[in-house]
Amino acid sequence: TLLAVGICLVKGMSVASLLFVMGLVAAIVGDIILGLPGMPQMKEKSMILTLIGGLAFTVTHICYTAAIIILCGFKWWIILIAIALGLAFFFGNKFIGKLNYGPLTAGMPVYSIFVSFDFAVSIMALISGVNIIGAILLVVGLGLFWLSDIVLMHIYFGNKPEKDEFLYYFNLSFYYLGQILVAASMFFLI
């Protein structure tokens, strides 16, 4: 987030850069909220905190998507790519990963499409001919974010009684590297 704010200070503030910063801030809020169930006094509220954290990340994805569309325009076929990626995300996790989303099952397809939409729009940015370095950073960053969310679903909703440490490290590495690349892409795209 500090990287994005620094880029805005150097290159100037625009609607797109403000949306990127808002998305990064919403991600920080989501990180904090999703970390709360680890505190013993918050255990009984873990489902509601997971839902609120998911909503914060939905805001992140909406902000990123809007920023990219402002910068690159919009093509109708992106909706098809986002739906395909979202369905792969949801059904791959549900049936191949055998995840049980419990009471959140009804909202997971929608969240899966939101997660996939900014990744799909970043692919459009790459094709659209905007700054190639910025577009590559954006695609790789949002691709890593997308993959980290797939792994995150296994951490939260997997059927293992013990938590797999490798999944945590994989998730956090991909997530934070993805966010850094999204922020860095602003230098080339804004």
Side-chain angles (χ1 to χ4, degrees):
T1 305
L2 289 176
L3 175 62
V5 170
I7 290 168
C8 289
L9 292 174
V10 170
K11 300 205 60 155
M13 186 64 76
S14 67
V15 173
S17 62
L18 180 62
L19 285 165
F20 274 121
V21 170
M22 288 171 49
L24 289 162
V25 169
I28 290 171
V29 170
D31 285 340
I32 292 168
I33 291 169
L34 290 178
L36 290 176
M39 299 169 61
Q41 63 271 33
M42 300 302 275
K43 279 282 189 222
E44 69 278 352
K45 296 182 174 146
S46 67
M47 189 58 66
I48 190 72
L49 291 171
T50 300
L51 178 63
I52 294 168
L55 290 173
F57 279 106
T58 300
V59 170
T60 295
H61 293 294
I62 291 169
C63 288
Y64 288 171
T65 299
I68 298 165
I69 290 171
I70 287 169
L71 291 171
C72 305
F74 184 76
K75 305 285 187 216
W76 68 270
W77 48 266
I78 288 303
I79 295 170
L80 300 176
I81 292 174
I83 291 170
L85 287 169
L87 292 175
F89 182 104
F90 177 75
F91 288 113
N93 274 333
K94 180 92 174 131
F95 297 113
I96 296 169
K98 296 183 176 34
L99 299 186
N100 179 8
Y101 297 115
L104 300 179
T105 299
M108 289 310 295
V110 174
Y111 182 74
S112 299
I113 291 171
F114 270 104
V115 169
S116 301
F117 208 82
D118 57 2
F119 182 33
V121 173
S122 73
I123 294 167
M124 182 191 68
L126 185 62
I127 295 168
S128 76
V130 297
N131 181 289
I132 191 73
I133 295 170
I136 289 170
L137 289 171
L138 194 59
V139 168
V140 173
L142 289 173
L144 290 171
F145 193 1
W146 189 76
L147 290 172
S148 77
D149 262 2
I150 289 172
V151 173
L152 187 66
M153 296 301 124
H154 288 267
I155 292 170
Y156 275 88
F157 303 107
N159 295 323
K160 289 184 174 183
E162 77 287 341
K163 296 297 181 183
D164 188 346
E165 241 180 80
F166 172 76
L167 290 179
Y168 283 109
Y169 294 126
F170 183 88
N171 168 258
L172 292 176
S173 299
F174 274 36
Y175 168 70
Y176 286 114
L177 180 57
Q179 294 287 49
I180 290 166
L181 292 175
V182 168
S185 74
M186 290 174 58
F187 183 78
F188 300 96
L189 296 174
I190 303 296

